[in-house]
Amino acid sequence: MNTDTTSAATVRPPAVAEPPPVRMATPADAEGIVRLRSSYVLSQPLSEEWIRRCTVRLAPRLAPAGDARCFVVDAADGSLAACALGLIHPVLPAPECPRGLAARVHVVATRPDLRRRGYARAAVGALLDRLQAEHVTLFELHASAEAAPLYRRLGFSSSSALMRMTLLDEPAAPGVPEHGDDLRGTGPGWMPPEQYAETVPKATCFACLYFTDEDDRPLQLRSVYSPAHPWQLVGGTMDPGERPWQTAVRECAEETGLTVTGPPRLLATVYGLPGDEWPYSTIGCVFDGGRLSPAQIDGIVLNPEEHDEVRVLPLPAWQALMPPRDFARLSTVAQARHTGRAAYFDTWDWETTK
């Protein structure tokens, strides 16, 4: 946490006529938050590679559907002066958390040259208010001795029960069955369903719509939060309880303001292996959104927290603007539209350095 130890007697705080201008962070702020954490929270600063990895992980979590909430104060030079980042996680319900939601205040940091202006207090206060509005009632954090008084004033109390341990390269848990063991019966290899579920591969699921103009030129949106995938089809990650087509329809309305009615026509099934930047496999469905008229394209209304540009280009022109695997997926989808046969694309893997 913020560990500024400069004596208040030696630093004269500037006069502040109004509360600090705190705002809620967006995915575009991910790198700035990561750099504040690296420089002023961690005992050893991160390398540029780890800053990149953390940024890629944090950005989607700051989106409205993510589990991260952060409030920041902007500095005059365009960087971040301060931030307070909280991560929401589910817990078993109890009287102190009836909704089963808790949050860890993961990062509180202020640039040293901008401290003692109330930035950290304002950011943390805004964060707690937001989390409480989302029915989070249990909060936790690790505070330095210097920062502890601030958190006590905000309502936190000390506890000797908090303990911490880090285990790297943990071996497989005892009792995990070998491949081929009987998991359905009650023999030595059987496991309760919820325990077995922890041993199988996990995957995130998404659904997209492939739109073109009336000349069959693909339409894509430019992302504001994903430098790894700058140009994207209309669509996104499935919400709990949704089916793929429902996701595609909802995401289309949220990202463009367009309403699609179907019936659904599948163009491609997409699969990607996990990698360094994401620990799960990726499975997705790409549906045909149809051909849009010039008026429909001009009428698209973007969500500025996700995209900042709509572009329509001939398929070959997209190649220079996209990573090879993204362009390969786009080409496969375009070919499926052309031939009328759904495609199977299984090389949309996350990058790995191994």
Side-chain angles (χ1 to χ4, degrees), residues 175-184 188-190:
V176 175
E178 297 294 332
H179 180 69
D181 282 356
D182 181 10
L183 298 172
R184 296 166 295 175
W190 182 85

Side-chain angles (χ1 to χ4, degrees), residues 120-203:
R121 181 184 180 91
V124 173
L127 173 64
L128 297 180
D129 288 344
R130 174 70 185 209
L131 292 172
Q132 191 171 11
E134 296 188 31
H135 308 295
V136 175
T137 54
L138 181 62
F139 304 88
E140 60 185 12
L141 56 79
H142 294 278
S144 65
E146 293 82 3
L150 165 63
Y151 301 120
R152 291 194 187 97
R153 290 194 295 271
L154 290 169
F156 286 87
S157 60
S158 300
S159 171
S160 59
L162 288 175
M163 303 179 72
R164 193 176 190 182
M165 178 172 65
T166 299
L167 293 175
L168 299 176
D169 298 323
E170 183 177 356
V176 175
E178 297 294 332
H179 180 69
D181 282 356
D182 181 10
L183 298 172
R184 296 166 295 175
T186 57
W190 182 85
M191 301 172 68
E194 63 275 10
Q195 186 176 352
Y196 172 57
E198 294 300 317
T199 72
V200 299
K202 307 297 189 296

Side-chain angles (χ1 to χ4, degrees), residues 210 265-269 286 288 329-344:
Y210 175 71
R265 179 188 172 210
L266 183 67
L267 291 180
T269 299
V286 182
D288 195 344
R329 184 184 71 161
L330 181 65
S331 299
T332 299
V333 172
Q335 180 68 10
R337 157 83 80 81
H338 177 72
T339 62
R341 294 190 298 271
Y344 170 67

Side-chain angles (χ1 to χ4, degrees), residues 287-338:
F287 297 97
D288 195 344
R291 295 173 175 85
L292 301 179
S293 68
Q296 288 175 308
I297 295 173
D298 290 342
I300 288 176
V301 179
L302 297 177
N303 179 349
E305 294 184 352
E306 297 192 49
H307 303 99
D308 63 2
E309 183 182 342
V310 181
R311 192 175 295 186
V312 177
L313 293 172
L315 179 62
W318 281 113
Q319 186 168 10
L321 303 177
M322 305 171 66
R325 60 177 177 166
D326 288 9
F327 180 72
R329 184 184 71 161
L330 181 65
S331 299
T332 299
V333 172
Q335 180 68 10
R337 157 83 80 81
H338 177 72

Side-chain angles (χ1 to χ4, degrees), residues 29 63 91-92 95 119 122 127 134 137 146 151 170 226 232 244 254 261 282 328 343:
D29 295 306
V91 296
L92 291 176
Y119 289 175
L127 173 64
E134 296 188 31
T137 54
E146 293 82 3
Y151 301 120
E170 183 177 356
S226 179
Q232 303 175 346
E254 293 175 356
T261 58
T282 304

